[in-house]
Amino acid sequence: MNYAGRSQRLGEVDPLRRAIPRTDSPGLASELRSARWRMKAAESPVPEEVDGAHRRIRNSPGGLRTARHVRRRTMSGPGQEPPAGRPSTGAVIAGFTLIVALGVAVASLGASLPFLREHYGIGVAASGFAVVAFNVGALLSTLVCGLADRRLPPKPTVFVLLALFATGLGSAGAAPTWTLFVTAITVAGLGYGGLALYLNTAFASAFGRHNVLMINLLQAAFGIGAIIGPIATAATAPVDVRWTLTAMAVVTVLCWTAAGCCAAERRVPAAEGAGWSSLRMVLVVSAPFIIAGIFYNGLETSVGAWASTHLTWSGMDPGDAARSTALFWAGLTAGRVIIPLAAKNLGPATLIRISLAIAVAVFSLSAWGAAPVLCYAVAGFALGPVLPTTLAWLSTATHRAQLANSILLTGCMAANVTHPWLVGITADPAKPWTIPAVLTGFAALGLVAALSTTVFRPKTAADDKVDQHATTTRS
């Protein structure tokens, strides 16, 4: 059988052509690659199929070398190149430091608005433009870096994003007028969105079996930065709250080695990731993951916006209600550190589903009036690993992880607006239970989406090509 001619005809569409050296058994290698991917997609082992393919490769001419090579290559999924290696320790430390700086900058911007209104002599409505401008810049950057993931070289792109973020924060710290401040903070937002996307994608896909743990630790580091931000703002208020932004600009410059994290991520080859068909495949495969992430993020934002109102309407003092809400955020940060370590043997699917199921239960109890403060704390702890684990899980489900994560994070930004609004239009002071009831609905819908990631996951085009190649070579 003319294997060489058939391999040449399939070379442009079959990702296995690059995954194995020259061999007389390309069909057997394709069979092995297809078997491993079906095993991974179904989350159930098929050892007979995989071992049988290995035996047939080993027994073919030159097969022992091919079998060893393919065994290393076939674990990266269909249509993907093998991992490019984990980031260096220095790059990882810089990545964690950078994400803390991002958290500090975001949280300090909101906390500094009252002081900025006094400094620039502006009204409440005008001061809100700074937050809007920052989020618009972040949204545009996230979309561009996601859609152009195949064209933008990771390391130079991250250097540009670092320069934008540092320049924007530094300029905002010295802006003499409000217009220049808003312009500078928009530039910082452009850097922030892309950096957040690259860091999340890298930590969700560059550490092998430790992906879930690393992305949860990254999100926990961001939470720590979000706690430091308001504290730093209060500390610098007697002098100038903009000093916090300037300090984060300096930290960002010192974190230039964080680009090594993102450079370790493998880009998608042009033949596998071009055109509308690739985008459509990513959307179809990623849809359940994205829906689950959107409902989670909307739930998190809604709790932050409405938990204190629910507690106040339930008879608690407003000051105590505000302080009690902090327990949710503390639980969220603790959950992202503790749960992945304690449940490291659980798969991403199981971890996310259990977390959302617990959230449904405790929010339901809160709606019934059973210890709402404790319910919010437990819900925060349970929900902690959901979003970072979803990012790690999604990175293994599609051949364009950065594009899929970009769509997910963009949807999360939209959910930050829509979900609190939905809670607001249904909330009733005479019926405080309406707030946790809507939160229960959000958690339940997220759980349904998480369950559907396995039940309704379609077969990708890469699977079809691999299966077709394996079938034709056996015939």
Side-chain angles (χ1 to χ4, degrees):
M1 184 175 292
N2 185 7
Y3 289 117
R6 179 168 293 154
S7 298
Q8 184 176 5
R9 291 195 301 273
L10 295 175
E12 294 184 357
V13 297
D14 188 0
L16 302 174
R17 186 70 179 90
R18 290 180 302 278
I20 61 174
R22 290 187 177 181
T23 175
D24 293 333
S25 305
L28 296 178
S30 300
E31 179 185 354
L32 177 61
R33 185 67 172 268
S34 177
R36 283 195 180 277
W37 175 247
R38 287 198 297 271
M39 174 179 64
K40 185 178 181 181
E43 297 184 349
S44 60
V46 283
E48 298 83 7
E49 187 176 0
V50 175
D51 291 342
H54 268 296
R55 284 195 299 271
R56 288 191 290 275
I57 291 177
R58 285 197 300 269
N59 293 333
S60 65
L64 182 59
R65 178 175 61 88
T66 303
R68 290 172 179 170
H69 190 86
V70 170
R71 185 181 293 274
R72 294 193 302 267
R73 290 283 196 166
T74 53
M75 295 308 294
S76 59
Q80 295 182 2
E81 292 288 332
R86 294 184 182 181
S88 65
T89 302
V92 172
I93 294 174
F96 276 116
T97 305
L98 179 59
I99 201 69
V100 171
L102 296 183
V104 171
V106 170
S108 64
L109 178 60
S112 64
L113 289 182
F115 305 99
L116 293 174
R117 285 195 291 267
E118 181 180 354
H119 180 83
Y120 288 107
I122 57 175
V124 176
S127 65
F129 282 122
V131 178
V132 173
F134 183 86
N135 286 326
V136 169
L139 178 62
L140 290 175
S141 179
T142 302
L143 286 173
V144 170
C145 292
L147 293 174
D149 63 325
R150 192 173 52 85
R151 297 177 177 85
L152 296 176
K155 199 166 186 176
T157 303
V158 173
F159 282 138
V160 172
L161 293 169
L162 287 168
L164 288 173
F165 189 63
T167 302
L169 292 182
S171 300
T177 66
W178 179 245
T179 301
L180 291 177
F181 181 90
V182 172
T183 302
I185 214 66
T186 304
V187 174
L190 289 170
Y192 169 83
L195 289 174
L197 174 62
Y198 272 101
L199 285 173
N200 278 289
T201 303
F203 275 73
S205 58
F207 296 91
R209 62 190 180 91
H210 300 295
N211 284 342
V212 172
L213 174 62
M214 294 302 292
I215 187 63
N216 274 279
L217 292 177
L218 186 77
Q219 291 289 324
F222 182 87
I224 293 172
I227 295 172
I228 295 174
I231 298 174
T233 299
T236 57
V239 185
D240 191 340
V241 293
R242 298 177 300 171
W243 282 16
T244 302
L245 300 178
T246 304
M248 291 306 102
V250 175
V251 172
T252 301
V253 173
L254 296 177
C255 291
W256 62 272
T257 55
C261 291
C262 308
E265 180 195 353
R266 175 66 64 180
R267 295 173 62 199
V268 179
E272 299 174 26
W276 165 248
S277 61
S278 175
L279 177 60
R280 182 177 59 185
M281 184 190 304
V282 172
L283 290 173
V284 171
V285 174
S286 307
F289 300 89
I290 293 171
I291 293 172
I294 287 174
F295 274 112
Y296 160 77
N297 209 72
L299 174 63
E300 177 188 312
T301 306
S302 299
V303 172
W306 288 98
S308 60
T309 301
H310 168 235
L311 296 175
T312 302
W313 288 352
S314 300
M316 186 177 291
D317 177 76
D320 292 337
R323 285 187 288 272
S324 298
T325 305
L327 292 175
F328 172 79
W329 299 109
L332 203 69
T333 302
R336 287 173 176 168
V337 176
I338 297 174
I339 292 180
L341 290 173
K344 58 184 178 182
N345 292 327
L346 289 179
T350 305
L351 182 59
I352 292 173
R353 292 161 187 168
I354 291 176
S355 297
L356 288 171
I358 294 174
V360 171
V362 294
F363 282 130
S364 299
L365 291 174
S366 180
W368 283 95
V373 174
L374 179 61
C375 287
Y376 282 124
V378 173
F381 184 79
L383 290 171
V386 172
L387 181 60
T389 303
T390 301
L391 289 168
W393 191 13
L394 180 57
S395 295
T396 66
T398 175
H399 62 294
R400 295 184 67 179
Q402 185 163 306
L403 174 59
N405 286 341
S406 171
I407 298 172
L408 172 58
L409 294 176
T410 302
C412 289
M413 293 179 188
N416 290 339
V417 177
T418 58
H419 287 60
W421 174 76
L422 290 173
V423 176
I425 63 176
T426 57
D428 185 352
K431 301 175 181 178
W433 57 267
T434 55
I435 293 177
V438 176
L439 298 178
T440 303
F442 290 160
L445 290 172
L447 177 58
V448 171
L451 291 171
S452 69
T453 52
T454 297
V455 177
F456 298 107
R457 182 172 173 180
K459 191 176 184 180
T460 66
D463 294 326
D464 293 334
K465 292 170 186 174
V466 171
D467 291 342
Q468 181 182 8
H469 189 188
T471 302
T472 55
T473 52
R474 286 197 302 268
S475 60

